[in-house]
Amino acid sequence: MLIRSPKDWELSESAVTAEQIYRLRNRRDFLKTLGVGLAGAALAPRGLLGATAGFPSQENPAYPASALKPTAYDFITSYNNYYEFGTDKSEPKDQAKGFKTDPWTLELAGLVNQPAKFDVNDLVKKLGGLEQRVYRHRCVEAWSMVVPWDGFPLAKLVALADPKPEAKFLKFSTFFDTKNVVGQREAILDWPYVEGLRLDEATNELAFIATGIYGKPIPNQNGAPLRLVTPWKYGFKGIKAIVKIEFTAKAPRNTWNVMAPQEYGFYANVNPNVDHPRWSQASERIIGAGFLGGRQATLMFNGYEKQVAALYKGLDLARNY
Ligand SMILES: Nc1nc2c(c(=O)[nH]1)N[C@H]1C(S)=C(S)[C@@H](COP(=O)(O)O)O[C@H]1N2
Ligand SMILES: [Mo]
């Protein structure tokens, strides 16, 4: 995201049609349109999709599609930041295609009573399936989408690991695979991509691990098979293809903070009042809203102030960006 800013013409608006706009009430029709549906997801060849357990998911009525207008599937899955598979927004869709994300193992480690390794499909079953939540998604580059995620609360995973009293933070890591992932053969970022949360952020009700989008397994370019979603924070906190979560006593560094500490902090809370050193964060471009149409004011904590403001009481948000 240091390299170039997104351009309006990278995606043709003709890619969006009324039929592609997701309507939760017509979920079955929508899945039919996509040609997937339940059976499709279950029978998908291993390696082409992420983890397939847990579908269909249960709508969480606290985060319905009726409250926000979901961005069209084509935009969510073709306009991506995923530097392991290219630095251009259009590249991950093609370049991540052949990457094998099923089977996949997640490791829980560090200051926990239950260190473990889980197959992702087994883990989803163990956690009791998937729920669907429609969340805002705001990148630090000042663009936004609305994504219907399928997944499970991160708090469930934390409970499974059973952190020791000394555990205060979570450190998340993506794979490091120079054999299969061309982008990682070059020092574009400090690989592997890592991210962190405070333990109380990780157990906030909003913190979510996504294994799906629009009711089917999450595509590789969006972070299959497991990807962090923290909707009150800038998108770079949402680390993709997680292989390990380590519980620590001290705050871990996160990749973008390591790359450019003056520009990207540990917290990365969406804040229209604290500008990025090189651009304003007061408003955002709505992806898929049209060439002229789409800007809106950015909301404090991306509109989730009620759920998360208490986490940052007394913290100077201009210093702790
Ligand atoms: N492993 C990894 N995770 C990542 C990134 C990345 O380059 N590598 N990019 C981040 C950034 S900057 C954003 S905005 C989101 C984009 O998620 P999306 O492509 O699903 O919209 O993923 C985040 N997670
Ligand atoms: Mo981002």
Side-chain angles (χ1 to χ4, degrees):
M1 57 203 182
L2 278 170
I3 292 164
R4 60 199 285 271
S5 49
K7 295 182 178 65
D8 282 294
W9 55 87
E10 279 181 348
L11 276 175
S12 100
E13 299 302 318
S14 63
V16 197
T17 66
E19 294 90 323
Q20 286 171 308
I21 307 292
Y22 181 55
R23 295 165 304 260
L24 197 67
R25 274 177 234 103
N26 295 324
R27 182 151 177 258
R28 260 194 222 116
D29 292 346
F30 175 80
L31 290 172
K32 237 187 278 164
T33 309
L34 279 177
V36 280
L38 235 198
L43 296 173
R46 289 172 85 81
L48 289 183
L49 289 169
T52 52
F55 294 95
S57 59
Q58 292 291 310
E59 181 198 1
N60 182 328
Y63 308 99
S66 53
L68 297 164
K69 184 183 166 204
T71 303
Y73 185 83
D74 277 359
F75 280 100
I76 296 172
T77 58
S78 65
Y79 186 88
N80 301 105
N81 273 332
Y82 200 172
Y83 278 17
E84 287 85 341
F85 297 105
T87 54
D88 201 284
K89 299 277 189 293
S90 62
E91 287 176 325
K93 183 177 180 178
D94 286 333
Q95 294 195 20
K97 210 172 250 167
F99 187 59
K100 209 166 178 337
T101 53
D102 186 9
W104 189 272
T105 303
L106 173 72
E107 183 180 2
L108 302 177
L111 301 170
V112 294
N113 292 315
Q114 304 293 334
K117 288 182 181 175
F118 292 104
D119 169 78
V120 171
N121 282 310
D122 294 344
L123 178 67
V124 167
K125 288 176 206 152
K126 194 179 174 72
L127 294 178
L130 303 176
E131 59 178 87
Q132 182 170 66
R133 298 184 181 194
V134 179
Y135 277 163
R136 298 167 191 273
H137 175 34
R138 169 60 156 86
C139 176
V140 74
E141 296 163 332
W143 53 261
S144 71
M145 301 185 189
V146 171
V147 183
W149 302 105
D150 310 279
F152 52 82
L154 177 56
K156 282 193 181 181
L157 208 51
V158 172
L160 198 62
D162 188 12
K164 294 181 174 171
E166 315 90 86
K168 297 287 186 280
F169 295 89
L170 278 67
K171 178 188 172 184
F172 301 80
S173 309
T174 297
F175 60 83
F176 187 43
D177 180 357
T178 51
K179 189 164 163 266
N180 297 302
V181 180
V182 180
Q184 290 190 321
R185 291 177 201 163
E186 292 171 56
I188 305 163
L189 293 179
D190 187 28
W191 310 119
Y193 198 101
V194 292
E195 258 304 338
L197 291 174
R198 273 186 353 212
L199 184 59
D200 60 344
E201 295 181 310
T203 54
N204 181 274
E205 63 155 302
L206 288 177
F208 200 63
I209 298 287
T211 68
I213 290 178
Y214 271 108
K216 61 172 193 154
I218 191 168
N220 281 356
Q221 63 267 32
N222 293 92
L226 293 170
R227 174 256 172 85
L228 178 64
V229 182
T230 46
W232 72 100
K233 294 177 178 288
Y234 292 121
F236 69 84
K237 295 301 282 186
I239 181 172
K240 296 177 172 181
I242 301 162
V243 295
K244 187 176 180 182
I245 304 176
E246 193 180 347
F247 291 70
T248 64
K250 289 199 179 126
R253 295 290 299 276
N254 47 311
T255 293
W256 278 103
N257 179 250
V258 169
M259 300 302 293
Q262 269 68 27
E263 304 192 12
Y264 310 108
F266 173 78
Y267 282 100
N269 290 318
V270 176
N271 189 339
N273 309 313
V274 176
D275 288 339
H276 185 279
R278 292 184 283 129
W279 58 83
S280 167
Q281 293 293 22
S283 71
E284 61 206 38
R285 191 168 56 95
I286 306 166
I287 300 300
F291 185 65
L292 296 172
R295 277 203 95 79
Q296 65 189 10
T298 291
L299 300 173
M300 190 64 206
F301 296 117
N302 205 23
Y304 299 101
E305 195 163 8
K306 210 172 65 192
Q307 290 96 325
V308 301
L311 291 170
Y312 310 107
K313 240 189 184 151
L315 202 67
D316 179 349
L317 298 177
R319 289 180 63 92
N320 298 278
Y321 51 90

